[in-house]
Amino acid sequence: MVVNNSNIHEVIRRISRAVENFETPSVTLVGKRWRNPFLILISCLLSLRTKDQTTLSASERLFKLADTPEDMLKLENSRIEQAIYPAGFYRTKAARIKEVCRDLVERFEGRVPDDLDQLLSMKGVGRKTANLVITEAFGKPGICVDTHVHRISNRFGYVKTSTPNETEQVLRKKLPKEYWLNYNLLLVMWGQNICKPVSPLCSQCAVLDFCAQAGVTQHR
């Protein structure tokens, strides 16, 4: 059986119940702790190719130094690098943070826009980051597709796509809008703990009877 729109409600219900005691991803924790669009945006940038705990610690250290675009621009790149290390590509991220802050000040009066196209117009802000900001910072409908969402949606048989961007576009047409805000959070936690990239824990899967197990060659 594959996941489709006739059973997606049951799938979401089961996963929601199963992840109740799993660790919450760092960007969501940042959103709950500070509820500040700028800090969520910066944390999203830091999270790329970086483990959650590293992202959260790096965010906390950086935000003690500066928590507005204006104050961030006053910091030397080396100071930002030191604060966010050992986040992946920390030197590149430090430079990108400064670019984003400059853009915010010069084009958006220091405020993070709540519009997807405006966010995407900023250098270094891709669809994953923009959608996370839209959903986590503003609570507006958006579908953030990272590697977990892309992999699991295909593994379910819910979509048949080759890239995360393709997955997002299909989900925008197919996924009931009531699940847009939480779909990323649920599947990230599911992917980190159960539906792993290699050898998923199918024996512990709450929705195995709905899953096509597409592409799964080995499981536990």
Side-chain angles (χ1 to χ4, degrees):
M1 185 183 294
V2 300
V3 175
N4 53 51
N5 269 30
S6 67
N7 56 37
I8 187 66
H9 307 284
E10 176 64 14
V11 169
I12 295 293
R13 186 189 69 80
R14 290 191 194 180
I15 293 178
S16 298
R17 179 178 295 177
V19 303
E20 286 179 352
N21 295 319
F22 291 170
E23 288 188 12
T24 303
S26 61
V27 174
T28 300
L29 289 174
V30 168
K32 288 181 177 179
R33 179 170 178 178
W34 284 287
R35 298 190 180 280
N36 181 312
F38 173 67
L39 302 187
I40 291 173
L41 170 60
I42 298 303
S43 182
C44 287
L45 295 174
L46 290 176
S47 72
L48 301 176
R49 297 188 181 183
T50 301
K51 293 181 179 179
D52 273 352
Q53 190 52 53
T54 301
T55 297
L56 187 59
S57 298
S59 298
E60 290 174 339
R61 290 192 298 272
L62 181 60
F63 298 158
K64 287 180 180 178
L65 300 178
D67 59 5
T68 67
E70 293 82 2
D71 286 343
M72 198 72 73
L73 287 172
K74 296 175 184 177
L75 298 177
E76 296 290 337
N77 280 30
S78 58
R79 191 86 185 277
I80 297 176
E81 291 172 8
Q82 183 179 22
I84 66 176
Y85 179 84
F89 305 95
Y90 66 96
R91 289 195 176 93
T92 300
K93 288 179 179 178
R96 184 57 46 78
I97 287 170
K98 293 288 285 289
E99 291 176 348
V100 166
C101 289
R102 190 171 294 109
D103 209 4
L104 287 173
V105 170
E106 293 177 355
R107 292 204 293 141
F108 301 106
E109 299 180 344
R111 296 182 179 180
V112 175
D114 62 354
D115 177 81
L116 187 66
D117 289 334
Q118 288 183 327
L119 284 165
L120 290 170
S121 74
M122 303 174 68
K123 186 176 180 180
V125 177
R127 297 197 68 86
K128 172 188 172 182
T129 296
N131 275 292
L132 267 177
V133 171
I134 288 293
T135 56
E136 295 289 345
F138 298 105
K140 297 178 67 174
I143 300 180
C144 173
V145 177
D146 64 0
T147 56
H148 294 295
V149 174
H150 174 61
R151 178 182 73 256
I152 297 172
S153 295
N154 275 276
R155 201 173 264 177
F156 280 165
Y158 193 55
V159 305
K160 293 182 180 180
T161 55
S162 301
T163 67
N165 282 349
E166 289 179 11
T167 298
E168 181 194 339
Q169 297 312 312
V170 173
L171 289 174
R172 282 181 174 273
K173 296 175 182 177
K174 186 174 186 178
L175 183 69
K177 212 160 188 177
E178 63 191 280
Y179 300 128
W180 283 25
L181 283 176
N182 291 325
Y183 193 70
N184 173 266
L185 174 61
L186 291 176
L187 265 60
V188 168
M189 290 192 288
W190 200 238
Q192 289 176 341
N193 294 276
I194 301 296
C195 199
K196 299 185 177 186
V198 179
S199 190
L201 304 179
C202 295
S203 62
Q204 300 179 34
C205 180
V207 293
L208 182 60
D209 53 331
F210 291 113
C211 182
Q213 292 181 289
V216 176
T217 57
Q218 181 180 350
H219 60 81
R220 290 172 282 169

